[in-house]
Amino acid sequence: MSWIKWLIKKILGIVVFWQSVDHTVDAIKAWVKGFFHAPVIGVPLTTYYLERKYGKRVVTRHKVDNYLLALKECAERKVEIQSLPYVLSLDTLNKCNLTCPFCPTGIHKNDRKGSRITFEQAKQVIDAVKDHTLEVRFYNWGEPLLNKDIFQIIRYAHDAGLYTSINSNMSLDIKWDLAQKVVESKLDLLSVSLDGLTQETLVKYRRGAKIELIKKHIRAIRAERDKQHATLPVLEAAFIVFKHNEHELAELEQTAIQLGLDNAYPRLGYIYDKSFVPTHPDFQPIQAAFDKTCEFLYSELIVEPDGAVSPCCVNTDPRWDIGKVADLADLPKLWNSTDMLNMRRYFEADEPPAMEDVPEILCKYCGAVESRCHQRQTKPVLSPISPVFMASGKTFYDAEEQRKKWPGSV
């Protein structure tokens, strides 16, 4: 009988061991995070990393401490937090010259009134966040270079010690010297949306764009940068991979060299139409961006062109706003407002709460966090619909309607 007892103990030991594996892995992860958060090790390494990414002029000890604290509080899924957002999304204009089919602005389904932020409003926002923020992105739901104050805003942010970036379609038929203004603004990064290397492929998604106009502006900015012996802005092209353009991937690097770009890279896209889904397995539609919690609730402050503060970069409905620019005067209070606490609390536990117990927050309709994703689909898998449209029940994208408007586009 003794050998039977021995065998039972061994089996029980193996079971206990495997039950403890998850806890062991979590413990190791926690130790690693603690290791890098330790002042003696974490601060120098993090400072080096941030200086490499943003430049020494941007990084201060206070910003490093805030960044590390935000990462720690996010990892621990804290509800009430001490850190402040280290990225600012300052949308300067929610109007665009193109009509891209998966963009609420492009298909006229943005519930927010068309607006542009003024220099004075932008200055107020930048002044409120400059001590703890590393980066400001001047884009979201429109073409930022159509805002007449954009270069003054960029230069002010630069002088305030922030890293500045813009995403532009660059298909702009303008008379003034765009290249000179871009370089003189001290913009750090200019990312061009170039989802096609020919006119034919480009307009299947970037509807209304002109490839020669884009190339002309890229070359002009590079020439002006070289003329001024400047290193900024860094020029890159983002190439969203679709079914109709994936055959051009092999030409992307050479095209970048010919245009004078510093970098060009293929990327995943939010895709809501199966006819756009590429065959390449590495570029399937974007799914959940996060695992257990939404990192944006700890890292990113979103300010809309109308002066509203939004809880999420995909929010196109004022119903979900959490404040106004004036509220940034007491950002710690806004960052721990009832709405923000409820959103973080929704992700606090591993298991999702009963939906009837969740207050009316945008997060409960979102598919960006794997542990809370309610939008499971069969193949071909499309991207989760924006939570704004999930909440309202409105149709975001109608493939047949789009084909009627743009016959032959897909």
Side-chain angles (χ1 to χ4, degrees):
M1 294 293 292
S2 60
W3 69 269
I4 296 176
K5 290 181 180 178
W6 176 86
L7 182 61
I8 291 172
K9 286 181 180 179
K10 286 294 182 183
I11 293 172
L12 289 175
I14 292 171
V15 171
V16 171
F17 169 77
W18 283 111
Q19 286 177 338
S20 68
V21 165
D22 285 343
H23 299 295
T24 303
V25 171
D26 288 342
I28 292 172
K29 287 181 179 178
W31 180 85
V32 171
K33 286 168 184 169
F35 178 80
F36 282 102
H37 194 262
V40 176
I41 300 167
V43 170
L45 284 177
T46 304
T47 301
Y48 175 77
Y49 162 72
L50 293 176
E51 286 180 349
R52 293 276 297 186
K53 183 175 182 179
Y54 296 121
K56 289 186 177 181
R57 70 171 187 85
V58 173
V59 181
T60 65
R61 175 58 190 267
H62 178 68
K63 291 182 182 181
V64 172
D65 288 343
N66 178 71
Y67 175 80
L68 282 169
L69 181 58
L71 294 185
K72 182 174 184 290
E73 291 178 326
C74 179
E76 295 173 352
R77 286 183 274 176
K78 294 275 190 180
V79 175
E80 188 168 354
I81 61 177
Q82 301 300 312
S83 63
L84 293 172
Y86 52 86
V87 174
L88 169 63
S89 174
L90 181 56
D91 196 5
T92 56
L93 182 76
N94 60 353
K95 298 179 181 180
C96 190
N97 54 320
L98 305 186
T99 54
C100 305
F102 302 149
C103 173
T105 302
I107 58 177
H108 307 295
K109 291 193 176 182
N110 190 331
D111 291 324
R112 205 177 293 277
K113 183 180 177 181
S115 308
R116 76 170 181 90
I117 206 158
T118 66
F119 171 72
E120 288 303 321
Q121 288 174 312
K123 181 175 179 293
Q124 185 179 354
V125 175
I126 292 165
D127 287 344
V129 305
K130 63 185 179 182
D131 291 338
H132 55 82
T133 296
L134 292 157
E135 175 184 1
V136 55
R137 301 167 184 163
F138 294 111
Y139 58 90
N140 197 11
W141 296 121
E143 171 49 59
L145 294 180
L146 293 177
N147 184 330
K148 65 182 182 68
D149 292 336
I150 189 61
F151 299 109
Q152 188 180 9
I153 294 171
I154 293 170
R155 185 56 187 259
Y156 187 82
H158 170 89
D159 292 343
L162 299 177
Y163 179 92
T164 58
S165 64
I166 272 185
N167 183 287
S168 170
N169 63 60
M170 293 303 289
S171 184
L172 303 166
D173 190 7
I174 51 182
K175 306 302 180 186
W176 40 269
D177 193 341
L178 174 64
Q180 183 178 353
K181 287 182 177 292
V182 167
V183 176
E184 290 180 350
S185 72
K186 303 294 184 182
L187 177 68
D188 287 289
L189 173 65
L190 174 57
S191 181
V192 181
S193 298
L194 188 65
D195 309 322
L197 305 184
T198 65
Q199 181 67 19
E200 181 183 7
T201 53
L202 178 69
V203 296
K204 286 185 183 296
Y205 182 72
R206 300 287 168 186
R207 295 171 179 172
K210 297 178 180 178
I211 190 72
E212 291 306 319
L213 203 51
I214 297 170
K215 291 179 178 180
K216 170 189 168 185
H217 288 312
I218 292 173
R219 291 189 179 108
I221 294 170
R222 179 55 191 261
E224 183 65 28
R225 195 182 78 177
D226 292 345
K227 176 184 172 183
Q228 294 192 27
H229 304 288
T231 58
L232 299 174
V234 172
L235 294 170
E236 67 178 29
F239 183 96
I240 299 178
V241 181
F242 297 112
K243 186 175 182 178
H244 61 263
N245 68 6
E246 60 184 324
H247 65 281
E248 295 180 336
L249 276 170
E251 305 169 42
L252 183 59
E253 183 178 354
Q254 187 58 37
T255 299
I257 294 171
Q258 292 172 352
L259 292 175
L261 291 163
D262 299 299
N263 183 32
Y265 60 92
R267 53 166 291 191
L268 306 180
Y270 285 95
I271 301 178
Y272 304 102
D273 187 329
K274 63 183 181 182
S275 66
F276 280 82
V277 177
T279 59
H280 199 300
D282 295 338
F283 297 102
Q284 294 302 292
I286 290 177
Q287 299 301 305
F290 307 114
D291 182 19
K292 294 184 177 181
T293 190
C294 178
E295 295 177 9
F296 294 148
L297 297 174
Y298 300 83
S299 65
E300 190 163 348
L301 177 71
I302 295 101
V303 179
E304 305 288 351
D306 58 5
V309 178
S310 175
C312 180
C313 60
V314 303
N315 179 31
T316 53
D317 189 341
R319 167 191 174 188
W320 303 103
D321 292 343
I322 60 170
K324 294 287 186 183
V325 167
D327 298 321
L328 300 181
D330 191 352
L331 184 53
K333 180 180 178 181
L334 179 65
W335 207 229
N336 285 290
S337 62
T338 299
D339 286 334
M340 293 301 295
L341 295 179
N342 284 337
M343 286 184 282
R344 294 192 196 106
R345 189 174 291 114
Y346 176 60
F347 300 107
E348 185 179 18
D350 287 339
E351 294 299 319
M355 293 303 282
E356 60 269 20
D357 297 333
V358 179
E360 193 64 359
I361 54 174
L362 191 58
C363 299
K364 69 189 287 186
Y365 302 101
C366 185
V369 179
E370 181 65 30
S371 66
R372 299 294 187 271
C373 186
H374 308 292
Q375 301 182 46
R376 302 297 178 192
Q377 304 176 61
T378 57
K379 292 184 177 181
V381 179
L382 300 177
S383 299
I385 299 297
S386 162
V388 171
F389 292 87
M390 291 294 292
S392 67
K394 296 178 182 177
T395 299
F396 169 58
Y397 179 84
D398 186 317
E400 291 306 316
E401 177 186 343
Q402 288 297 315
R403 289 186 182 90
K404 289 177 182 177
K405 287 183 177 180
W406 291 83
S409 63
V410 292

